[in-house]
Amino acid sequence: MVPTFPFSAVVSPGDAADMAQALLLCAVSPEIGGVLVRGEKGTAKSTTVRALAALLPPVTVVPDCRFSCDPAAPDPACPDAAAHRPGAVERPARLVELPVGATEDRVIGSLHLQRALAAGVTEYEPGLLAAAHRGLLYVDEVNLLHDHLVDLLLDAAAMGRSTVERDGVSVAHAARFVLVGTMNPEEGELRPQLLDRFGLTVEVAAPRDAGARAEVVRRRLAFDADPDAFTAAWGPADRELAARIAAARAALPAVELPDAALAAIAAVCTAFDVDGMRADIVTARAAVAHAAWHGRERVGREDIRAAARLALPHRRRRNPFDAPGLDEELLDRILDGQDLDPEPPQGRARGDEQPAGDGADPADQPEQAERPDDAGAGDAAARSAGSADGPAAGTGPQDPAEDPGRPADTAAGTDGTDGTAGTGGTAGQGRPVGPGPQAGTAGDPFRTRLFAVRGVGAGEAGRRSRAVTSTGRTVGAEPFGGGTGPVHLTATVRAAAPHQLARGRTGPGLVLAGRDVRLAVREGRESNLVLFCVDASGSMGARARMDQVRTAVLSLLLDAYQRRDKVGLVTFRGSEATLVLPPTGSVDVAARRLAELPVGGRTPLAEGLLLAGETVRRERIRDPRRRPLLVVVTDGRATAGQDAVARSLRVAGHLARSGVSSLVLDCETGRFRMGLARGLSRALQAELVPLAGVRADEVAGAVRAREVA
């Protein structure tokens, strides 16, 4: 067995305090509903989650029950109920990992195909949800999980059971687990329905302190050099944490939640205007768990504050552009106004012992004081430690400029140091070229019409255009020809049935040949890439045009978030082009990139088209089945460099020959028009849409109305 990096080695004074505390609270009280950990890559998210499993108390199960029934209260509807034997068996708590590429059959289980074909027996083979019952279900990169798997998780989380009705199987079994997800917000956001199912959420970031980073590397190298010795050295600290979790679980039922505490929780949730009642329930459960963890018999102010900081930030978001966070000054004012115990909460009843290691426990850390520049965003970003490949040991204070959830109107500005848009750059490199006049802010995003690609494609799974995908409804079957996909059982049996006598079948079961196998053909929805290439030069109306185009891009991105599309933005001005917004589905990143766009200078149209073509080429390598639509927003002028117009037309012709589907939005205004955009549209073999002033709703409407051939 490969040693796991110890939980205590990840946790030390000041590092990953919120992440560790949230995980430990869910270990004490699984009813909290799990944890979502958001943060940049290399911040020990996965390492910390995997290390937690070793601290969980063992689970007592019915012998030989594949569904982990509790001997004290076995599930009467368990599919293995007829085979239950008296007695009890103790086994370690499970950490079941759900890969983002898992199939539906693997998640919920399905017909045992080998038994069905060989013996003609209908037998259910459990999936990952059954294995995770009474344990942890961990989804790394949960924001990349396909929608059909998200639906399965939502059903199981809501009902506590998994129901399977397929392939002649009708089974329902208990599926109660602690759902833990990790994600990098730059790779896209999470569906609101699934986000709300996570009881707690935390933000993590790599340490900015040199000493903390050095300690991260030191521990990682020590673990890699001798995992057994490193794990043994941290064994006492891990065992102490495990004992404390078990003690807190045992004390949990006796913790009192007085009416004053309930009133305070309700006041906090009301003041922060959260939707529904789940926030109140989760906060109450987390507060009780926090009190039990600290050995207190009664929930107090400190417990409510700690619970609210973890349970409310992600429930305050009204749309994906809202930053996850909590105003802790407001939280303190609300709690100060409640009639809670005036005396400070007492320490742990069993003493002030602390785990080994760095001499401090993450859940005992004093609450971090709010930084002046974080007002309104709270302290949702937890301090974390991380190495390039996982475990961490310590952190320094988080840099406010690194907050991934800052809204567009407060995003770090325009110096280009944090990757936000604000200055020009070399095409494809983003090198600053100096300050320039800035366009105004974008308007409020608006709802857009549905844009569906004509016909049936074969792109990445999404929620927009019809396509043959790995998910969706089964519309037919095709012979197995070395492809991949689910087996169409009925079609396979139907293909084999006429040949049974010729193959000498004499008993039960089915005699199959390779040519009988049929794969299911499923029709679902695909996602697309909409790439804007926008003239940001000093041409007539450029400033107003940029405001409206930016609003349209934000609106398209909001729609893309809901439909799992990608949206990108290239701007060109001066003598260079800049990839302001790399193709993404992350609305948080988009809000920062689009906060400020520079305007002014000459018009390097050819450079903009070249960078757009290079961006499409790279995306085709990453997502070869995702069909792009290039939207060129220009008045057709090209004034940068010698023979600028002819060069732009040559680049446009190359894009057309490479199969890029395009749309040209003509922004030329004034009484006398040169009609230069028409020549560009002909070279691109694109539809020309004249838009006076480029109203944002017209931009989005034109994109939605365009059908990709």
Side-chain angles (χ1 to χ4, degrees):
M1 181 177 178
V2 179
T4 302
F5 197 90
F7 190 89
S8 299
V10 179
V11 178
S12 60
D15 80 344
D18 282 352
M19 176 168 60
Q21 178 170 286
L23 291 171
L24 291 172
L25 291 182
C26 283
V28 172
S29 178
E31 290 78 12
I32 289 174
V35 183
L36 174 65
V37 184
R38 297 163 46 98
E40 59 195 24
K41 52 187 176 295
T43 49
K45 300 186 297 293
S46 299
T47 299
T48 308
V49 173
R50 294 188 177 104
L52 178 68
L55 306 182
L56 298 179
V59 178
T60 304
V61 299
V62 173
D64 300 326
C65 179
R66 297 174 298 169
F67 301 89
S68 302
C69 280
D70 186 351
D75 181 9
C78 174
D80 287 353
H84 282 179
R85 296 187 290 109
V89 177
E90 196 173 79
R91 62 162 175 79
R94 289 176 181 162
L95 172 67
V96 177
E97 298 196 31
L98 195 164
V100 295
T103 64
E104 185 174 329
D105 292 347
R106 186 70 187 97
V107 175
I108 63 173
S110 65
L111 180 69
H112 196 302
L113 189 58
Q114 183 177 358
R115 293 270 293 161
L117 295 179
V121 176
T122 301
E123 180 178 323
Y124 172 67
E125 185 175 13
L128 296 178
L129 296 184
H133 179 49
R134 302 178 66 195
L136 295 176
L137 181 64
Y138 173 47
V139 188
D140 192 15
E141 305 295 350
V142 64
N143 51 324
L144 303 182
L145 201 64
H146 287 299
D147 282 347
H148 70 292
L149 299 183
V150 171
D151 294 338
L152 297 177
L153 285 183
L154 288 172
D155 290 341
M159 306 300 296
R161 301 187 67 81
S162 176
T163 302
V164 184
E165 298 285 353
R166 58 185 305 163
D167 300 332
V169 173
S170 180
V171 169
H173 62 83
R176 289 183 292 273
F177 44 79
V178 177
L179 180 61
V180 181
T182 56
M183 60 175 281
N184 183 349
E186 293 187 358
E187 296 174 345
E189 284 297 329
L190 203 60
R191 279 176 56 181
Q193 297 92 334
L194 183 57
L195 180 64
D196 188 56
R197 282 295 172 182
F198 285 98
L200 312 176
T201 185
V202 293
E203 298 272 349
V204 295
R208 299 298 184 259
D209 177 69
R213 298 177 76 95
E215 181 63 19
V216 169
V217 177
R218 185 178 298 113
R219 294 192 187 184
R220 179 74 235 189
L221 294 179
F223 176 79
D224 291 342
D226 193 342
D228 293 328
F230 186 87
T231 303
W234 289 92
D238 264 12
R239 287 192 291 272
E240 187 170 354
L241 279 177
R244 188 171 171 188
I245 290 173
R249 275 195 181 185
L252 191 68
V255 175
E256 180 186 359
L257 181 65
D259 289 342
L262 274 175
I265 292 171
V268 168
C269 294
T270 301
F272 283 106
D273 195 26
V274 296
D275 292 331
M277 294 299 300
R278 186 172 288 118
D280 305 63
I281 296 172
V282 170
T283 303
R285 288 172 174 168
V288 172
H290 191 268
W293 174 257
H294 287 275
R296 293 190 281 269
E297 298 178 353
R298 182 184 178 92
V299 172
R301 181 187 190 280
E302 180 182 340
D303 304 312
I304 297 174
R305 187 183 193 279
R309 290 181 62 251
L310 300 174
L312 299 186
H314 61 299
R315 293 187 166 90
R316 296 184 59 244
R317 306 182 76 180
R318 289 295 179 269
N319 63 67
F321 292 103
D322 294 338
L326 201 68
D327 186 344
E328 294 193 31
E329 289 186 356
L330 174 59
L331 175 61
D332 288 333
R333 289 197 301 270
I334 297 169
L335 293 177
D336 290 342
Q338 299 300 308
D339 186 19
L340 295 170
D341 291 338
E343 296 295 328
Q346 299 299 315
R348 293 193 299 270
R350 56 185 175 278
D352 293 327
E353 71 277 1
Q354 293 192 2
D358 291 328
D361 177 358
D364 292 335
Q365 298 290 334
E367 302 295 346
Q368 181 186 8
E370 183 174 348
R371 297 184 298 271
D373 55 351
D374 279 344
D379 192 23
R383 296 185 306 276
S384 168
S387 64
D389 55 357
T395 68
Q398 182 182 344
D399 183 353
E402 296 298 323
D403 182 3
R406 300 177 67 180
D409 58 350
T410 59
T414 58
D415 60 1
T417 56
D418 64 346
T420 58
T423 63
T426 303
Q429 297 179 0
R431 177 176 58 81
V433 298
Q438 300 297 322
T441 58
D444 293 333
F446 51 86
R447 181 176 294 276
T448 59
R449 301 200 309 267
L450 172 64
F451 165 58
V453 176
R454 184 173 50 200
V456 180
E460 296 295 330
R463 302 178 63 187
R464 185 172 299 280
S465 306
R466 292 177 58 197
V468 175
T469 63
S470 59
T471 62
R473 63 188 182 94
T474 301
V475 295
E478 61 182 3
F480 175 74
T484 59
V487 174
H488 196 301
L489 182 59
T490 304
T492 300
V493 172
R494 188 180 296 113
H499 308 289
Q500 296 306 296
L501 291 177
R503 294 172 183 172
R505 173 183 170 183
T506 58
L510 199 65
V511 181
L512 287 175
R515 64 177 181 272
D516 299 330
V517 178
R518 299 291 186 271
L519 298 182
V521 177
R522 294 181 172 179
E523 183 177 300
R525 295 282 176 174
E526 70 173 359
S527 60
N528 301 105
L529 166 65
V530 179
L531 179 63
F532 281 86
C533 183
V534 180
D535 181 359
S537 67
S539 300
M540 182 184 302
R543 183 180 299 273
R545 179 170 67 248
M546 291 302 297
D547 290 348
Q548 296 173 3
V549 168
R550 182 165 54 249
T551 301
V553 173
L554 288 172
S555 302
L556 287 168
L557 187 70
L558 180 60
D559 188 65
Y561 163 75
Q562 297 167 342
R563 301 185 185 279
R564 293 298 184 265
D565 285 333
K566 281 187 174 181
V567 174
L569 175 62
V570 172
T571 63
F572 52 93
R573 60 181 284 266
S575 60
E576 298 165 326
T578 306
L579 182 59
V580 175
L581 178 66
T584 180
S586 172
V587 294
D588 285 342
V589 175
R592 296 204 308 270
R593 298 295 192 271
L594 297 172
E596 294 290 342
L597 288 179
V599 176
R602 300 176 70 84
T603 310
L605 176 58
E607 282 70 18
L609 296 176
L610 282 171
L611 181 54
E614 176 63 18
T615 302
V616 169
R617 185 189 68 82
R618 289 196 300 264
E619 282 302 303
R620 280 176 167 172
I621 295 175
R622 295 190 183 99
D623 295 321
R625 297 185 301 165
R626 190 187 299 273
R627 293 185 287 174
L629 173 63
L630 174 62
V631 182
V632 183
V633 184
T634 180
D635 55 10
R637 291 180 173 85
T639 60
Q642 295 182 349
D643 200 17
V645 174
R647 182 165 175 260
S648 299
L649 295 178
R650 288 196 298 270
V651 174
H654 174 74
L655 284 173
R657 290 189 294 272
S658 67
V660 177
S661 182
S662 304
L663 171 67
V664 175
L665 303 181
D666 186 2
C667 306
E668 189 174 23
T669 59
R671 180 176 301 179
F672 302 103
R673 303 188 181 187
M674 302 176 65
L676 298 177
R678 183 173 301 278
L680 178 64
S681 67
R682 290 173 179 170
L684 283 169
Q685 299 179 18
E687 180 182 352
L688 177 66
V689 180
L691 294 173
V694 193
R695 289 176 52 87
D697 53 351
E698 294 184 47
V699 173
V703 173
R704 289 299 186 273
R706 175 73 166 98
E707 290 187 341
V708 181

